[in-house]
């Protein structure tokens, strides 16, 4: 009897081993569209989220599959490793949100010639900036953040705010352009209203992070307690800290990148970039065979690439007609806005922004 049981057990073990070694049912072909996040998450209420929503929108209208891959750390090697993982997972299109992917995409576009890359807010280049190259399988997408910031500053002053604040994240080109545009928009509105020099003030600071931190909340709280009425929070998750301070103080916030009106009652408007539509449009072009590869696409007011979400904005006197009028001037190119660099690619400092009515206090 024991012999029969032993034989039966041996047979069961052999069957189990065979099951483990036999091929599994056909696995899905993989995730065809991938997004590599930067240091944030896909729910960062900012850049990653806006880009991911573009992927989700396209996937929802097609039979494609998608997945996002968070890198292990903030480094070129980590980003490249995440790209490698996405390709191994079946990715044929990879979306990368932010300037931190410029070097990784410069390398990856040659390593994976059969993969299409969408680089947001950057241009592929090597480590020492001696060579810029947007491959035939890559498109670089840029935004006119200075126009979005201009609209935010303009609307705030036209709506009656006089004591403004700007807290940016890391002083990268996009963040700098938002801030410079914000100051110039406030100045433009102040001149239209015939205000006197010093009637409008702007506290200005870069926090050097894109995260919610106690330090950012403390800074915002101190500004609000000193009389600042509204702060333009330009740096991903750091906006959470500014919103928390605004909620405690009964003050206001201007969001960034996407419509952040749902994140806090304190958000009166958001300086939006067309992250979701630009990603969606690029994906649509890829799969329709009209992909503008090897190019840099600029999303600005003229192609609805930037703007304020007027339908959800909480202005008291700034109207849709007011917005349409100033937006039309941007579309026509009637307003010149200084960015982060000039035509010679030389850095433009905040102190060189020409203002006569707005007083800017740069914290550091």
């Amino acid at each position: 009897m024991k012999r029969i049981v032993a034989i039966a057990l041996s047979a069961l073990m052999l069957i189990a081993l065979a099951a483990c070694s036999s091929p599994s049912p056909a696995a899905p072909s993989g995730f065809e569209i991938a997004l590599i996040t930067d240091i944030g998450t896909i729910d960062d209420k900012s850049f990653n989220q806006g880009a991911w929503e573009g992927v989700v929108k396209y996937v929802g209208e097609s039979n494609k599959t998608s997945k996002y891959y968070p890198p292990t750390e903030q480094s070129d090697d980590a980003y490249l490793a995440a790209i490698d993982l996405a390709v191994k997972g079946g990715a044929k299109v990879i979306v990368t949100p932010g300037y931190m992917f410029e070097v990784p995409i410069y390398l990856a576009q040659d390593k994976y010639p059969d993969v299409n890359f969408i680089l947001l807010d950057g241009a592929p280049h090597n480590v020492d900036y001696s060579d810029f190259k947007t491959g035939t399988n890559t498109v670089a997408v840029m935004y006119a953040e200075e126009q979005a910031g201009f609209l935010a500053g303009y609307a705030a002053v036209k709506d009656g705010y006089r004591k403004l604040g700007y807290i940016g994240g890391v002083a990268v080109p996009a963040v700098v352009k938002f801030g410079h545009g914000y100051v110039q928009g406030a100045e433009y509105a102040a001149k239209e209203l015939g205000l006197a020099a010093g009637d409008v003030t702007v506290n200005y600071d870069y926090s050097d992070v894109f995260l919610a931190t106690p330090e950012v909340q403390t800074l915002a709280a101190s500004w609000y307690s000193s009389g600042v009425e509204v702060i333009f929070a330009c740096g991903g998750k750091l906006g959470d800290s500014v919103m928390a301070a605004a909620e405690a103080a009964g003050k206001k916030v201007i969001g960034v990148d996407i419509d952040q009106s749902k994140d806090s009652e304190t958000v009166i408007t958001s300086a939006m970039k067309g992250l979701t539509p630009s990603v969606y449009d690029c994906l649509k072009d890829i799969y329709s065979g009209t992909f503008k590869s090897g190019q840099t696409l600029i999303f600005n007011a003229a192609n609805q690439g930037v703007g304020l979400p007027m339908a959800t904005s909480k202005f008291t006197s700034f109207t849709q007609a007011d917005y349409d009028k100033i937006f039309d001037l941007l579309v026509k190119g009637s307003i010149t806005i200084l960015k982060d660099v000039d035509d010679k690619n030389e850095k433009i400092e905040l102190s060189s922004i020409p203002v006569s009515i707005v007083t800017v206090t740069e914290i550091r």
Side-chain angles (χ1 to χ4, degrees):
M1 184 66 179
K2 291 181 179 179
R3 177 180 175 80
I4 293 173
V5 172
I7 292 172
L9 288 173
S10 298
L12 288 172
M13 290 178 65
L14 288 171
I15 291 171
L17 288 171
C20 291
S21 61
S22 61
S24 59
S29 58
F31 299 95
E32 188 167 338
I33 302 173
L35 180 137
I36 314 298
T37 62
D38 63 10
I39 55 174
T41 62
I42 59 163
D43 60 350
D44 65 352
K45 304 173 184 177
S46 189
F47 220 79
N48 287 311
Q49 182 172 333
W52 179 242
E53 288 175 355
V55 172
V56 171
K57 180 181 178 183
Y58 181 78
V59 168
E61 299 176 5
S62 65
N63 61 350
K64 307 302 178 184
T65 56
S66 63
K67 182 177 180 178
Y68 66 89
Y69 296 80
T72 56
E73 63 180 17
Q74 183 183 346
S75 70
D76 291 343
D77 288 342
Y79 294 141
L80 282 168
I83 291 171
D84 291 341
L85 188 62
V87 174
K88 289 177 182 177
K92 299 300 181 185
V93 182
I94 295 179
V95 181
T96 55
Y99 76 100
M100 290 178 287
F101 289 94
E102 291 177 329
V103 173
I105 294 303
Y106 176 86
L107 300 171
Q109 63 190 357
D110 288 338
K111 183 177 181 180
Y112 299 112
D114 295 327
V115 175
N116 288 126
F117 294 95
I118 302 171
L119 172 59
L120 307 178
D121 242 14
H125 61 76
N126 61 358
V127 175
D128 64 3
Y129 291 85
S130 62
D131 184 42
F132 282 78
K133 181 178 69 174
T134 302
T136 56
N137 56 334
T138 301
V139 65
V141 178
M142 302 290 224
Y143 304 90
E145 291 93 352
E146 72 281 0
Q147 292 185 344
F150 178 94
L151 289 168
Y154 178 86
V157 172
K158 292 287 280 190
D159 203 49
Y161 295 97
R162 297 293 179 266
K163 296 184 181 299
L164 316 182
Y166 176 80
I167 299 180
V170 180
V172 297
V175 174
V176 173
K177 287 192 289 181
F178 269 127
H180 286 186
Y182 183 61
V183 170
Q184 291 171 86
E187 175 75 10
Y188 198 94
K191 286 183 176 179
E192 281 192 347
L193 293 170
L195 300 180
D199 282 352
V200 177
T201 61
V202 179
N203 283 10
Y204 197 105
D205 182 54
Y206 294 113
S207 65
D208 298 328
V209 296
F210 289 122
L211 302 171
T213 67
E215 291 78 13
V216 171
Q217 186 168 339
T218 298
L219 175 65
S222 69
W223 285 8
Y224 285 134
S225 65
S226 69
V228 171
E229 301 162 306
V230 58
I231 296 175
F232 181 12
C234 184
K237 278 287 192 179
L238 76 78
D240 289 350
S241 296
V242 178
M243 290 174 202
E247 289 166 0
K251 298 296 181 71
K252 303 301 180 182
V253 177
I254 295 173
V256 73
D257 289 339
I258 63 174
D259 183 358
Q260 296 187 314
S261 59
K262 295 180 180 179
D263 298 330
S264 172
E265 283 298 315
T266 64
V267 177
I268 59 170
T269 194
S270 300
M272 293 173 55
K273 297 195 288 191
L275 296 167
T276 298
S278 60
V279 170
Y280 173 84
D281 288 347
C282 285
L283 290 172
K284 191 174 181 180
D285 288 345
I286 288 172
Y287 287 103
S288 67
T290 58
F291 186 48
K292 303 176 181 66
S293 57
Q295 299 184 36
T296 297
L297 306 180
I298 306 296
F299 283 78
N300 54 27
N303 57 14
Q304 304 298 309
V306 297
L308 304 182
M310 290 300 292
T312 58
S313 293
K314 303 180 185 74
F315 295 123
T316 57
S317 59
F318 185 68
T319 67
Q320 182 68 50
D322 294 330
Y323 176 75
D324 292 343
K325 182 178 179 181
I326 192 68
F327 191 85
D328 186 56
L329 292 176
L330 292 179
V331 170
K332 293 177 179 177
S334 302
I335 300 174
T336 300
I337 307 173
L338 297 182
K339 302 186 289 187
D340 59 319
V341 295
D342 60 21
D343 293 337
K344 297 179 180 178
N345 207 37
E346 295 180 356
K347 185 177 179 181
I348 296 176
E349 300 291 346
L350 176 64
S351 58
S352 66
I353 300 293
V355 290
S356 58
I357 297 176
V358 175
T359 299
V360 181
T361 301
E362 192 169 7
I363 305 305
R364 45 176 163 159

